């Protein structure tokens, strides 16, 4: 049923795009540029954190404003601090956070900030994880995949995904990531069969997990922006993937690690560095179904 519904949505959007195209005197192609940032902010409770999130996360907040779309992982706590200086008008809906006493908890740790209108936000938890009090304790937080449609150009939508995979290098951890690869592929291929897609993910796939990464790319038809641009850190676990659609072409033009996410001493504000990718978005009839 979901696949049928999504195909109907696609046809409706295609019809609108055709109408828009025919009304443009300069032809059908439209272009824009968007910047995407992915960042694991290490928003763990202070008692178990090896950093100082109560000091670091408020410093992260204003730095997010330089990017069109921001995808955050591990923001389990401190959501008000992270949002305090963010100016993006569109965000993860409030119902995905939980108010507990005076604290706001984000069970998945996934958050989104966008300059562009969004709709159809959806969260799917991982069906498989490994470790509760050992092996990186991934089962203590459900994490998972979020999905949302973003209107990058009026009348043109890109599907944006965010995920945080099982960490660790044990057999159980790798098996969990294999299952998460399959879950992400099923979710993405059913929800976005003809749509342009950007996926930001803390994959927890390191150099020794390259076969696992290639499996993900094969299952989804995604491309790794780092690989495509021959970036200097091919084994960075924080990745931004993409896939063009039948009407929207995505082209990464720059992969980079922003330099400003440090405190006054020059120390990183998280145990991860942020990763950013600039994309050229082209809308027109020349791009066939993948």
């Amino acid at each position: 049923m979901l696949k049928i519904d999504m195909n109907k949505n696609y046809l409706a959007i295609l019809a609108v795009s055709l109408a828009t195209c025919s009304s443009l005197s300069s032809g059908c192609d439209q272009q824009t540029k968007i910047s995407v940032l992915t960042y694991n902010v290490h928003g763990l409770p202070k008692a178990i954190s090896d950093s100082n999130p109560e000091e670091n996360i408020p410093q992260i907040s204003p730095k997010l404003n330089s990017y069109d779309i921001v995808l955050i992982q591990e923001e389990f706590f401190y959501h008000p601090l992270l949002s305090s200086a963010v100016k993006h008008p569109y965000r993860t809906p409030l119902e995905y956070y939980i108010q507990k006493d005076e604290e706001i908890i984000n069970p998945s740790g996934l958050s989104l900030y966008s300059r562009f209108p969004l709709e159809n936000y959806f969260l799917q938890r991982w069906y498989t994880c490994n470790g509760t009090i050992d092996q990186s304790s991934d089962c203590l937080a459900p994490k998972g995949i979020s999905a949302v449609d973003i209107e990058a150009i009026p009348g043109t939508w890109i599907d944006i995904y965010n995920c945080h995979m099982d960490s660790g290098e044990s057999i159980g951890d790798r098996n969990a990531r294999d299952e998460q690869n399959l879950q992400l592929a099923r979710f993405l291929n059913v929800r976005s069969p003809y749509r342009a897609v950007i996926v930001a993910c803390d994959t927890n796939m390191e150099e020794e997990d390259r076969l696992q990464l290639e499996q993900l790319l094969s299952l989804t038809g995604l491309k790794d922006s780092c690989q495509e641009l021959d970036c200097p850190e091919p084994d960075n676990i924080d990745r931004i993937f993409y896939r063009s659609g039948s009407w929207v072409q995505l082209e990464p033009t720059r992969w980079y690690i922003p330099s400003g996410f440090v405190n006054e001493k020059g120390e990183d504000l998280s145990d991860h560095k942020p990763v950013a990718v600039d994309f050229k978005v082209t809308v027109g009839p020349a791009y066939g179904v993948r």
Side-chain angles (χ1 to χ4, degrees):
M1 182 63 71
L2 176 60
K3 187 172 183 178
I4 293 172
D5 290 345
M6 290 309 300
N7 287 341
K8 286 181 179 178
N9 287 343
Y10 163 72
L11 291 173
I13 292 167
L14 182 59
V16 171
S17 299
L18 285 169
T20 302
C21 170
S22 65
S23 68
L24 294 174
S25 58
S26 60
C28 294
D29 286 0
Q30 302 177 72
Q31 287 189 351
T32 192
K33 296 179 181 180
I34 60 173
S35 56
V36 179
L37 181 86
T38 184
Y39 196 13
N40 180 319
V41 298
H42 200 50
L44 301 175
K46 187 175 181 179
I48 62 173
S49 175
D50 55 5
S51 64
N52 193 337
E54 291 183 350
E55 290 188 8
N56 291 341
I57 286 181
Q59 296 180 66
I60 291 173
S61 181
K63 301 176 187 298
L64 304 179
N65 291 320
S66 299
Y67 306 90
D68 296 321
I69 301 170
V70 176
L71 297 144
I72 299 292
Q73 304 88 36
E74 214 164 276
E75 189 224 19
F76 299 114
F77 297 86
Y78 317 109
H79 179 68
L81 296 180
L82 186 65
S83 299
S84 60
V86 172
K87 296 180 180 179
H88 297 73
Y90 305 99
R91 308 168 180 218
T92 302
L94 290 176
E95 58 262 33
Y96 289 90
Y97 302 94
I98 297 173
Q99 183 81 40
K100 185 177 181 182
D101 299 326
E102 296 182 356
E103 201 161 33
I104 295 178
I105 298 173
N106 181 359
S108 71
L110 304 174
S111 286
L112 162 81
Y113 300 96
S114 172
R115 296 195 199 286
F116 308 113
L118 58 86
E119 62 180 33
N120 299 327
Y121 190 93
F122 186 80
L123 177 67
Q124 186 177 93
R125 305 292 168 77
W126 294 127
Y127 302 147
T128 305
C129 60
N130 184 60
T132 301
I133 57 173
D134 60 355
Q135 300 185 74
S136 302
S137 304
D138 286 279
C139 296
L140 286 178
K143 296 193 283 190
I145 319 160
S146 71
V148 70
D149 307 333
I150 286 183
E151 192 176 26
I153 298 174
T156 299
W157 297 79
I158 299 172
D159 293 356
I160 305 293
Y161 291 78
N162 188 13
C163 67
H164 187 182
M165 291 184 166
D166 209 276
S167 60
E169 296 303 321
S170 71
I171 292 175
D173 295 325
R174 288 195 168 98
N175 288 342
R177 283 197 296 274
D178 282 339
E179 291 299 317
Q180 290 167 2
N181 270 353
L182 292 171
Q183 183 180 339
L184 175 58
R186 286 192 295 265
F187 185 37
L188 190 152
N189 291 333
V190 169
R191 189 182 183 279
S192 307
Y194 307 112
R195 304 280 290 273
V197 168
I198 293 173
V199 180
C201 193
D202 177 353
T203 65
N204 279 305
M205 296 178 193
E206 303 189 44
E207 181 178 4
E208 57 270 29
D209 302 307
R210 287 187 179 178
L211 289 178
Q212 198 165 56
L213 174 61
E214 292 305 315
Q215 176 199 44
L216 175 61
L217 301 181
S218 176
L219 288 169
T220 59
L222 292 169
K223 295 181 179 180
D224 183 356
S225 56
C226 174
Q227 290 184 5
E228 295 300 311
L229 294 172
D230 195 23
C231 85
E233 297 189 17
D235 299 312
N236 191 313
I237 64 175
D238 297 302
R239 303 176 187 273
I240 298 178
F241 306 104
Y242 70 98
R243 187 178 78 192
S244 293
S246 59
W247 200 259
V248 179
Q249 183 188 49
L250 298 175
E251 180 186 347
T253 58
R254 182 187 178 203
W255 180 103
Y256 55 106
I257 293 179
S259 60
F261 287 79
V262 294
N263 62 20
E264 59 184 9
K265 298 178 181 179
E267 300 167 336
D268 289 330
L269 295 173
S270 172
D271 62 342
H272 290 234
K273 293 181 183 292
V275 170
V277 174
D278 294 340
F279 286 95
K280 181 172 74 172
V281 181
T282 305
V283 184
Y287 312 109
V289 177
R290 71 173 183 88

